[in-house]
Every structure is written in structure tokens, then in C-alpha cells.
Amino acid sequence: MINFNVPPFVGCEMEYVREACEKNHKICGDGPFSMKCHKWLEDRFGARKALLTTSGTAALEMAAILCDLKPGDEVILPSFTFSSTATAFQMMGATLVFVDIRPDTMNIDETKIEAAITDRTRVIVAVHYAGVACEMDKIVDIAHRHDLLVVEDAAQGVMSTYKGRALGTIGTFGCYSFHETKNYSMGEGGAILVNDPAYIERAEIIREKGTNRQRFFRHQVDKYTWVDRGGSYLQSDMNAAYLYAQLEHADQINDNRMASWDDYCEGLSPLAREGKIELATIPQECVHNAHMFYLKTRDLEERTALIAYLKERDIQAVFHYVPLHSSPAGKKFGRFCGEDVYTTSESDRLVRLPMYYGLTPADRSAVIDAVKEFYA
């Protein structure tokens, strides 16, 4: 079986985990390896402050708390995204306002955002699908003109850029995921990037169960106490050790994935030119990270047939999100603004091919050949 995903592993992860346990004797949050990860993210991407979290969902929840949302406030987001994008803000009592996506990138359609703004709107959430950036200049401009905050759901966007800026560093807050399905993994984990210095201290408090414990460690107070909302969002230093091994090899992992992506693109472009499939569009100002390779079939029926055909040949291909606005919770906690022109129809056509660090050239060729055979 050619699996859809195999978690990344560079070889020195267990050495670092052992070091955390046996040498550092520090396996809870914010140990030496956590600090190394924070510094790496800040130095590599130019983030003001990076903090590891227990998941990408936790990072989004922290962002929602930092946005200081109240019941009745509204958050604009795409419907084509994972449930965590929505639940993080709904947990604060916010109403979710879904808008349509662009068919070329599957990202939120920036031209539809302004029509969704009301006097209750507080936040715009930009989800960078497949590690390809949303049109951030336009989104940030809209936010500034309407006094809104921007949260980047960059769960899939580590190492991607928009006009030279790392995804996650452009909005007020950026959220990464280091789940086992992501380019860089610690099994379960994430990070929040705080790009406005005014929010850094509160982010530290929220992450430390609502206490000013970090101020205590910096000798700014003689004891720490409960001062604000918060949760247990610190990642174990063992997980951080596992992740740090991969961050040290970030370019190696990225280059390997890009080689797979480029092979797929070259091998399947003839089918796209013949009009049998559609491939992803990468805007000129975007540098992506080969998080996924997807193609679009003619319709849902053809997608189902293609996935079944590949499965018969021991190739695991999968579809992706069911639009949130059509889900029971989406109907309960939100509304769709405008017309659903592309969200449902495009999601019905999308197929993701196997993509992971270490995918062999032979396996890439087998996938390409099988897709071509299906359309022969």
C-alpha cells in the first residue's frame, strides 16, 4: 500500500527525546527543547513571539481568547476548513459567518469578505489551504479599515510565504499545527505566533492556566497567581524534542516534499491540458511548502470512482473537508453570507494524492501512472 501519509522522521528524534528525559530531567512544558523550538520559529520566520501549544486547535483557542470575543460577536471565515477553525471561536460565544472560497486556491474569497461585515464583526480568519497563502494584503487592508483583527490559520503553512513573509506572521496572530499529518510533526502539537507585542504578555498568561507564572520566572513578581482566563496549553518538552529534530532538518524535509510535488505536477499536467482534471493554482506572490498535492475531477461521482480505482491498486487517496456550513454544528452556530458558488461544488471534486517526506520516486510514478490509467 502506498499510504496517503507517513509521519515525518529524520532519525535523531528519539535521541533528543532521551536527552529530555535522561539528561535534562525536564519533560513538562517550556523545557530546553521548547525554548529551542520557540527561538527557531522566531528567528526563521521573523515572528515577534512563538509559543508551542498542545495542538493547532489549542493555538486557535488561544487566539480566540486573545481576540477578547464576547457572545454575539461575529467572526468571518471560510466554510471549507477543518472544524477547529470554527470551534475555537464558537467556544467564545461568537457567531460564525461563512463566505465563499476561490476555486483556484480553495482559500477564502477576499472579494466576498467586506459584504459579510456587520457592526458585530470582530475577526477575519484567513485559512491558508494546502500551504498556499490567502490574498493577505487585501484581507489586512479590509481589517484595518474596519478595525478588525486577523487570525491566520496556518496549520498547513509552515515554511510557506506570501510576498516574502512567512505565513502566520502577517495577521495579528498565526496558528501552526504539528500534527502527524503535517510537514513537521510532534505527533500532536501546534504553536501560536503573536505578531503584535501588545498581546505577548497576555498570551503567556493564557497559556499558563491564566497565571502570571512567566513573570515570576523572569523575577518580575515575587509570586505568581491567577490573573486572567487561561488553559493548559503548554506542550510537553518530550514532544518539543521530537519536533526540534525536524526543525533542524526543515529545508531537507521541504526540498524532499517539493520534489514529490513537482513530479506529480509534471506527470499529471498532460491530463490537465487535455481538460480531464484540474490542478492547484499557485499565485505568483506565493511560495508554498508542498503540504499536499490535490487534483480536481469532473464531479463527485468521478471523484468517488477515482479514489476506488486507486484503492484497488493499493494507493490511498482521500477527499477532504465537508463544508462546515452544511454540517449540523455549522447550521446551529453560523450562517453563510452570500451565495455558495464554489465551496460545495469544488470540495466535491477534490482528491488528495499520497504526500509525505520520504515518498519514493517509484511510488510517485506508480501514483501518476494509476491516475493516467484511470483517465485513459
Side-chain angles (χ1 to χ4, degrees):
M1 172 67 73
I2 302 176
N3 293 310
F4 169 71
N5 176 68
V6 174
F9 187 80
V10 297
C12 52
E13 286 90 343
M14 301 316 296
E15 174 189 342
Y16 286 3
V17 171
R18 182 178 291 276
E19 181 179 332
C21 299
E22 296 182 352
K23 180 182 176 182
N24 299 341
H25 304 295
K26 178 74 172 178
I27 61 173
C28 66
D30 279 353
F33 281 105
S34 296
M35 298 306 171
K36 288 180 179 181
C37 290
H38 294 167
K39 187 176 188 307
W40 192 95
L41 293 168
E42 290 163 2
D43 290 348
R44 180 65 184 254
F45 300 140
R48 292 294 185 94
K49 188 68 175 179
L51 296 166
L52 291 186
T53 60
T54 49
S55 65
T57 304
L60 286 163
E61 290 175 0
M62 281 188 61
I65 297 172
L66 286 163
C67 290
D68 206 23
L69 294 169
K70 299 174 178 60
D73 289 345
E74 294 180 353
V75 174
I76 295 173
L77 70 163
S79 174
F80 186 69
T81 184
F82 190 56
S83 60
S84 295
T85 313
T87 59
F89 298 94
Q90 190 282 320
M91 286 174 65
M92 298 295 295
T95 298
L96 308 172
V97 181
F98 302 110
V99 298
D100 208 8
I101 59 170
R102 295 169 43 158
D104 57 348
T105 62
M106 302 298 285
N107 286 333
I108 191 169
D109 187 338
E110 68 279 0
T111 68
K112 307 295 184 184
I113 292 174
E114 210 145 12
I117 295 174
T118 72
D119 58 1
R120 292 186 172 184
T121 307
R122 299 291 178 266
V123 180
I124 301 170
V125 185
V127 181
H128 302 300
Y129 185 71
V132 178
C134 298
E135 182 46 66
M136 291 305 296
D137 281 353
K138 178 69 172 179
I139 292 172
V140 169
D141 175 65
I142 293 171
H144 284 168
R145 286 190 285 105
H146 293 273
D147 195 23
L148 307 176
L149 298 175
V150 175
V151 175
E152 292 179 79
D153 183 340
Q156 302 172 1
V158 180
M159 296 287 282
S160 295
T161 62
Y162 171 81
K163 297 186 177 180
R165 299 180 63 185
L167 300 193
T169 68
I170 303 167
T172 318
F173 309 108
C175 301
Y176 288 157
S177 171
F178 298 115
H179 185 264
E180 73 163 37
T181 58
K182 300 305 188 290
N183 297 29
Y184 309 93
S185 174
M186 59 172 89
E188 294 279 359
I192 182 169
L193 306 187
V194 183
N195 303 312
D196 185 337
Y199 292 95
I200 291 175
E201 185 172 320
R202 190 172 185 224
E204 293 176 335
I205 289 170
I206 290 167
R207 184 168 168 267
E208 281 274 19
K209 302 91 176 170
T211 72
N212 58 351
R213 194 163 178 247
Q214 290 300 316
R215 296 197 70 200
F216 172 73
F217 288 151
R218 291 193 292 264
H219 307 290
Q220 295 171 321
V221 293
D222 60 0
K223 58 185 177 182
Y224 68 89
T225 187
W226 180 27
V227 296
D228 200 348
R229 287 176 168 174
S232 186
Y233 293 126
L234 276 73
Q235 179 58 269
S236 160
D237 215 52
M238 289 188 297
N239 294 61
Y242 195 99
L243 174 65
Y244 187 66
Q246 295 179 16
L247 296 182
E248 284 189 315
H249 295 81
D251 291 310
Q252 172 185 320
I253 293 172
N254 193 67
D255 290 347
N256 180 268
R257 295 182 70 105
M258 285 303 306
S260 294
W261 199 96
D262 289 342
D263 278 0
Y264 277 147
C265 189
E266 181 179 356
L268 296 175
S269 287
L271 291 180
R273 288 193 292 268
E274 293 168 13
K276 294 180 177 179
I277 62 172
E278 290 181 25
L279 299 179
T281 297
I282 311 297
Q284 186 174 0
E285 65 271 17
C286 300
V287 174
H288 71 104
N289 61 354
H291 173 66
M292 73 173 74
F293 190 95
Y294 67 83
L295 60 85
K296 291 180 184 176
T297 62
R298 180 181 53 194
D299 52 29
L300 178 59
E301 182 180 2
E302 184 174 284
R303 181 183 78 176
T304 303
L306 173 59
I307 291 174
Y309 185 87
L310 295 176
K311 184 178 180 181
E312 290 172 358
R313 284 147 186 81
D314 291 329
I315 297 170
Q316 186 181 26
V318 298
F319 54 87
H320 214 182
Y321 312 125
V322 176
L324 296 183
H325 75 280
S326 64
S327 67
K331 295 175 182 177
K332 180 178 181 180
F333 298 121
R335 67 175 186 272
F336 197 99
C337 179
E339 187 179 354
D340 172 8
V341 179
Y342 296 113
T343 300
T344 299
S345 62
E346 296 300 300
S347 65
D348 281 349
R349 302 167 56 212
L350 191 143
V351 178
R352 296 182 292 162
L353 300 181
M355 172 63 75
Y356 51 85
Y357 172 64
L359 181 65
T360 68
D363 284 348
R364 299 172 204 164
S365 295
V367 174
I368 293 167
D369 290 344
V371 175
K372 286 182 173 179
E373 289 166 6
F374 175 82
Y375 283 102

